Amino acid sequence: MRHAKAVLAAVILLVAVISLCTQPNSQSAGRDKVVIGVIGPMSRPEGVAEKNAVKLAAKEINSQGGILGYKIEVVVGDTKLDSNTAATEFRRLATVDKADVIIGGFSSGVMTTMMETMAETKTLFLTDASSPEHAKKVKENYEKYKYWFRVSQNNGSTFALDLADMVKFLKENGYDVKKVYIIRDEHVWTDPVMAALKPLLAQMGVQIVKDVKIPRGYSEYEQLILEAESLNADLIMPILAISGTGDILAKQWATLKPNILLAGHDLAPIDAGFYEKTNGLANYEIFLADGGALVTAPPTEMCRHFIEEYKKEYGHYPESHQAYGAYDAVYLYKMVVEMAAKDGVKDPFNPDVLVKYLEKFNASNPARLTRPIAFYSNHDLMWGDNYVRNWISQWQDGKQYIIYPENVANGKLKLPPWIKR
């Protein structure tokens, strides 16, 4: 009898140990799912792309068993491109919906406000938006803002490096640029771009003949194009995101056919449907492929997979480059939670813990997702040919091509037939 009792006790102990080992961690008491919030302007392609990408990633991960055995539930917040609304929506996702992580953003001013709510709620925030001021907050007050990481695109000051390279590339390929006419958003994100770009252009002997700021929804580009022509500009350089009217700019430029190239930074041409949206008038426009990916030139196999699965799921390719960052953010979150669990961390969902694991993805250890993701010490996304860079690209006969740098280029520069040089 004593022997039987001893065996029974041993069996009960073994079952208890096995049961404990099969649980994700002791933190799982009371948890029955992982909640991922996605936030952005849901009336714009950027917000829609983020929402769609997060839902696609969640669907894929759930089909494979979820994160540590927990299925993902996606909750959505709409910023409406308004700072107060964004803060309210972020707080709702964090405190009412109990989001474990929030993904997205868009618009630097809106992001700045949401970062305060993030700091109050101590919510991990894997983000979009390009102002250098966001990473500066992390550097200056790490403990308060450490939950913020830029995932979708590079710090906006890097756009200046890419725009300067664009001018240099044009010069080296037979299109001399001496005068530039700039059209930019009257928005905080463009100021650091201009501050960095001016000296770079000056070093090349390039003059900025005019710097025009435009509001959201602006459509009177014809007068600006004609003015650029009267000032003998060689280049009309958009620095646009918030305006949302890049298609109108492309149409009016191609209709007027000035002896001036249209080449710069505008989010609109990154959309795979932009050519059709402009009835083909986007032909020859040169733009930066923010976020380091194009439908026609995926930098990784995971990116190729994502592009095709997105089209299968939604009937079209990603509306904006924010889709790549949002998709990566879900998988990045899964990676760090599982890394923490593997290391035996008591609560692998703890945001303070996950910050340290995200910081492990640095220059020597990038996460290979749709793009190589690595972070600087201020949680900015690492910029460079081997990480994420805003590739210099061009619309040519209905297709997007990367034309610089050479290590990723899949096309050559083509000048519009009406350009006389």
Side-chain angles (χ1 to χ4, degrees):
M1 180 65 72
R2 287 181 181 177
H3 176 71
K5 287 182 177 179
V7 171
L8 180 59
V11 170
I12 291 172
L13 178 61
L14 180 60
V15 170
V17 169
I18 292 173
S19 176
L20 181 62
C21 291
T22 57
Q23 292 301 313
N25 266 288
S26 60
Q27 105 301 323
S28 62
R31 175 182 289 277
D32 60 358
K33 61 188 174 184
V34 174
V35 180
I36 294 182
V38 56
I39 194 164
M42 294 303 159
S43 64
R44 287 184 57 113
E46 293 84 4
V48 173
E50 288 174 333
K51 176 183 66 177
N52 287 347
V54 168
K55 287 187 172 181
L56 176 59
K59 180 181 178 181
E60 291 177 346
I61 293 169
N62 283 342
S63 72
Q64 298 161 10
I67 299 177
L68 297 185
Y70 298 115
K71 293 298 180 73
I72 298 171
E73 176 184 309
V74 177
V75 292
V76 180
D78 187 356
T79 67
K80 301 186 185 300
L81 277 184
D82 176 77
S83 293
N84 292 330
T85 302
T88 300
E89 286 288 270
F90 190 102
R91 190 179 301 280
R92 176 181 63 80
L93 295 179
T95 62
V96 178
D97 292 322
K98 306 294 184 185
D100 293 290
V101 59
I102 295 177
I103 293 167
F106 188 71
S107 173
S108 295
V110 169
M111 176 61 64
T112 300
T113 302
M114 286 194 292
M115 285 183 75
E116 298 305 315
T117 312
M118 170 206 74
E120 292 173 24
T121 60
K122 300 185 185 301
T123 306
L124 196 64
F125 195 12
L126 307 181
T127 74
D128 178 26
S130 61
S131 173
E133 293 301 312
H134 305 142
K136 186 178 178 182
K137 285 177 175 288
V138 178
K139 182 178 180 180
E140 293 178 348
N141 194 338
Y142 176 84
E143 281 304 318
K144 181 177 181 180
Y145 296 110
K146 65 184 178 182
Y147 307 101
W148 177 93
F149 288 81
R150 198 192 312 270
V151 177
S152 285
Q153 63 197 33
N154 298 109
N155 178 320
S157 63
T158 65
F159 299 155
L161 303 176
D162 295 308
L163 289 170
D165 274 354
M166 181 184 287
V167 171
K168 182 181 178 183
F169 168 78
L170 291 172
K171 283 173 163 286
E172 291 174 349
N173 283 269
Y175 188 87
D176 194 15
V177 179
K178 296 178 181 177
K179 295 182 178 182
V180 173
Y181 186 101
I182 290 175
I183 305 173
R184 63 175 168 125
D185 287 337
E186 55 175 19
H187 193 268
V188 62
W189 80 270
T190 67
D191 292 336
V193 179
M194 285 302 299
L197 182 61
K198 286 178 180 179
L200 293 174
L201 292 181
Q203 288 170 17
M204 290 186 281
V206 176
Q207 177 189 359
I208 298 174
V209 294
K210 193 154 186 181
D211 175 10
V212 182
K213 292 184 178 182
I214 62 168
R216 188 190 312 172
Y218 185 84
S219 61
E220 302 300 319
Y221 291 106
E222 181 176 346
Q223 60 187 2
L224 304 185
I225 295 168
L226 293 174
E227 182 180 45
E229 195 169 32
S230 72
L231 294 172
N232 297 314
D234 305 295
L235 202 67
I236 293 173
M237 180 181 284
I239 305 177
L240 302 174
I242 306 298
S243 72
T245 54
D247 58 321
I248 298 175
L249 171 59
K251 287 177 181 178
Q252 294 185 358
W253 169 71
T255 300
L256 290 171
K257 292 183 171 56
N259 192 31
I260 311 171
L261 264 183
L262 178 60
H265 174 285
D266 183 5
L267 292 190
I270 304 173
D271 179 4
F274 186 70
Y275 192 84
E276 292 181 359
K277 189 175 182 179
T278 63
N279 298 318
L281 295 177
N283 213 20
Y284 307 110
E285 179 173 359
I286 299 170
F287 62 96
L288 293 180
D290 283 17
L294 279 177
V295 166
T296 54
T300 68
E301 282 305 311
M302 184 171 179
C303 189
R304 190 182 306 279
H305 161 84
F306 167 64
I307 289 167
E308 294 308 319
E309 290 303 310
Y310 194 100
K311 186 176 182 183
K312 286 180 187 176
E313 187 75 11
Y314 302 111
H316 53 79
Y317 290 120
E319 296 92 336
S320 74
H321 74 277
Q322 279 79 7
Y324 302 97
Y327 184 81
D328 282 347
V330 180
Y331 277 95
L332 197 61
Y333 182 73
K334 179 178 184 288
M335 288 171 69
V336 293
V337 169
E338 292 177 348
M339 287 165 61
K342 185 178 180 181
D343 287 346
V345 172
K346 182 179 180 181
D347 181 4
F349 293 97
N350 185 320
D352 291 284
V353 169
L354 296 181
V355 164
K356 296 302 180 183
Y357 279 90
L358 284 165
E359 290 172 345
K360 293 178 184 290
F361 295 115
N362 53 31
S364 60
N365 181 44
R368 303 285 177 181
L369 299 169
T370 66
R371 303 145 308 141
I373 301 294
F375 300 107
Y376 296 109
S377 60
N378 62 2
H379 298 180
D380 234 339
L381 184 62
M382 195 160 283
W383 176 90
D385 288 0
N386 296 319
Y387 304 102
V388 175
R389 184 173 179 182
N390 315 296
W391 312 120
I392 297 170
S393 309
Q394 186 179 33
W395 275 104
Q396 297 176 7
D397 302 321
K399 188 174 180 180
Q400 297 167 318
Y401 290 90
I402 297 175
I403 56 176
Y404 180 87
E406 290 184 4
N407 67 306
V408 294
N410 64 344
K412 301 287 186 181
L413 171 69
K414 286 188 178 181
L415 295 180
W418 64 83
I419 295 284
K420 307 300 179 186
R421 290 279 159 163

